Structures are given as C-alpha cells and as structure tokens.
C-alpha cells in the first residue's frame, strides 16, 4: 500500500490558518473559517460605526419649511433662535465670534423665474432698510447664487468702524424657480479683527461650511 503524500504547497507559501489551527488545536478548518468570517464582519461593522459617529452633526428644522444644516461641533453649537429665526448656530474663539441663522422669507405673487426676477428686487429693498438703520453699511458683493441646487440671490456687506468690523453674508433661497411663495434667508455673521490667528481663521471657515451646507429637506447638502 502506498502512503498518502502530503499536500504540495506553492513555493513561498505556508499552510493556511485553518490548517495550522487544525494541526495545533484539533479544530476543524470549517469552524475556524466561520470564526474568521465573524471577526471580519464585526470589524467591518465597527469601522462603519466609527465612520457614522465621526460625521459632522446635523441640525434639522422639521417645521415649515423643512431644512437642515451640517456643522462642525468642535467649532459651532446649536443656540436658541432669536426673534423670527428658525434655527441658529454659534461659535467663539478668543477675538472672533460667528453665527449662522435661518429666517423665513415670504414672497409676493410672481410669474416667471423668481431667482432672476423677484429675489434681486427683494434683496435690494432689504439692503436699503439695512442701510437706513446703519450708516456704516457697505455692500461688498452681490449676485445670483445657488445652495445645493436651490436657487437664490446672495449679497455680502460689512458694518462697523475700522478696527471693529462685522462681516455679513446673506442669501435669499427658494426651493424652486417657478412661483414659490416661501423661502428662507440664510445669514452668516462674523465679528473679527483685521488680522486673524490660525484657529480664528479655522472657526470662520467652519461657519462658512455650515452656511453653505443648507439644504431643503433632511438630506445632507
């Protein structure tokens, strides 16, 4: 009778892990393979959970209209809305304070493209009122814009005396271009000195990201 020949291994490769476990501990290779598969599945779920927990938190307004903002909670926090605000985020770092708020926007009846025809008019009237209240008001830029595919009209301005400026950016946003009667005004405010330190600059960038993350509905922008 011929003796059974040992299985030949490819050059440079040793026995498989299930085979080593079988030879050392007497555990069937099938059981070892099942245990390994379970470990891999747990590690995969752990990685997925870690990714989920590491995502920036989401502020969701579930009233009318429904919208959300995504923000860095290491820089910003949810704050109590003021006046007619629907939602508010705030942050502070030494000499710099920032905020992002969302307020309702009601529009008169209009036929045609609201973003092109009506929003610039409404924004102009709004800026005129701001200028009447604060003579230091100065427009820095304005024009059509979009926020995650929602049409809008954006303008930036500053107020205050040299050395104590406050910079603002606001956008009138509507869910669609044809005939909406309701939208929102998203406002980003930052009070800061002329020269910024790295951490102060990072705070402003975080607020800008939250401002740009606005999206109607609950899906992240």
């Amino acid at each position: 009778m011929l003796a059974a020949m040992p299985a030949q291994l490819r050059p440079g490769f040793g026995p498989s892990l299930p085979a080593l476990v079988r030879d050392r501990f007497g555990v069937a290779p099938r059981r070892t393979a099942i245990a390994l598969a379970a470990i891999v599945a747990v590690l995969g779920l752990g990685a997925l959970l870690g990714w989920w927990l590491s995502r920036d938190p989401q502020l969701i307004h579930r009233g009318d209209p429904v919208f959300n903002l995504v923000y860095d909670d290491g820089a910003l926090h949810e704050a109590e809305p003021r006046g007619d605000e629907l939602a508010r985020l705030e942050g502070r770092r030494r000499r710099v304070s920032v905020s992002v708020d969302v307020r309702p926007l009601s529009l008169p009846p209009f036929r045609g493209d609201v973003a092109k025809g009506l929003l610039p008019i409404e924004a102009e009237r709004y800026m005129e009122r701001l200028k009447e209240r604060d003579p230091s008001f100065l427009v820095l830029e304005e024009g059509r814009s979009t926020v995650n595919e929602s049409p809008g009209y954006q303008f930036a301005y500053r107020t205050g005396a040299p050395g104590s400026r406050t910079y603002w950016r606001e956008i009138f946003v509507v869910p669609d271009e044809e005939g909406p009667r309701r939208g929102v005004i998203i406002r980003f405010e930052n009070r800061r000195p002329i020269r910024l330190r790295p951490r102060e600059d990072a705070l402003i960038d975080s607020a800008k990201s939250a401002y740009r993350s606005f999206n109607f509905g609950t899906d992240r922008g």
Side-chain angles (χ1 to χ4, degrees):
M1 177 181 291
L2 295 175
M5 297 294 292
Q8 298 296 314
L9 298 174
R10 291 178 59 188
F13 291 84
S16 66
L17 181 59
L20 287 173
V21 173
R22 177 198 59 200
D23 295 343
R24 183 72 180 270
F25 302 104
V27 178
R30 178 178 174 79
R31 290 186 178 181
T32 303
I34 292 173
L36 288 174
I39 291 172
V40 170
V42 170
L43 290 175
L45 288 174
L48 180 61
L49 179 61
W51 169 80
W52 179 266
L53 294 176
S54 68
R55 297 200 314 171
D56 287 335
Q58 186 182 23
L59 185 163
I60 300 178
H61 178 263
R62 298 189 183 278
D64 182 20
V66 178
F67 64 82
N68 76 91
L69 296 163
V70 178
Y71 65 97
D72 174 5
D73 60 353
L76 306 172
H77 63 272
E78 296 184 31
E80 190 69 24
R82 302 176 182 178
D84 64 345
E85 294 174 356
L86 303 174
R88 183 177 182 85
L89 296 170
E90 292 181 352
R92 177 178 290 276
R93 194 157 289 164
R94 296 181 65 86
R95 305 170 301 162
V96 175
S97 64
V98 298
S99 67
V100 177
D101 65 72
V102 182
R103 291 167 291 147
L105 172 65
S106 297
L107 298 170
F110 185 82
R111 291 184 178 179
D113 189 329
V114 169
K116 291 179 181 178
L118 183 58
L119 291 188
I121 297 173
E122 293 295 311
E124 193 65 33
R125 291 172 178 168
Y126 177 84
M127 287 188 282
E128 285 297 325
R129 294 194 295 270
L130 292 177
K131 188 173 183 179
E132 290 174 1
R133 292 202 300 264
D134 189 344
S136 69
F137 174 91
L138 178 65
V139 176
L140 302 177
E141 62 177 88
E142 62 176 300
R144 290 191 65 198
S145 184
T146 59
V147 181
N148 293 311
E149 300 184 359
S150 295
Y153 191 85
Q154 182 171 254
F155 49 95
Y157 59 96
R158 76 180 188 205
T159 58
S164 59
R165 302 283 195 201
T166 301
Y167 294 85
W168 313 75
R169 186 171 292 274
E170 304 195 39
I171 183 168
F172 288 27
V173 190
V174 291
D176 54 74
E177 296 179 347
E178 298 297 330
R181 297 293 302 277
R182 289 180 59 81
V184 296
I185 303 173
I186 315 167
R187 178 171 57 187
F188 164 48
E189 173 190 359
N190 69 99
R191 301 174 184 268
R192 59 184 176 88
I194 296 175
R195 295 184 179 179
L196 294 171
R197 296 165 183 166
R199 293 190 67 208
E200 295 170 337
D201 201 24
L203 173 63
I204 293 175
D205 286 342
S206 293
K208 286 180 181 177
S209 295
Y211 170 83
R212 294 168 182 153
S213 74
F214 175 91
N215 201 28
F216 285 108
T218 58
D219 291 339
R220 290 173 177 248

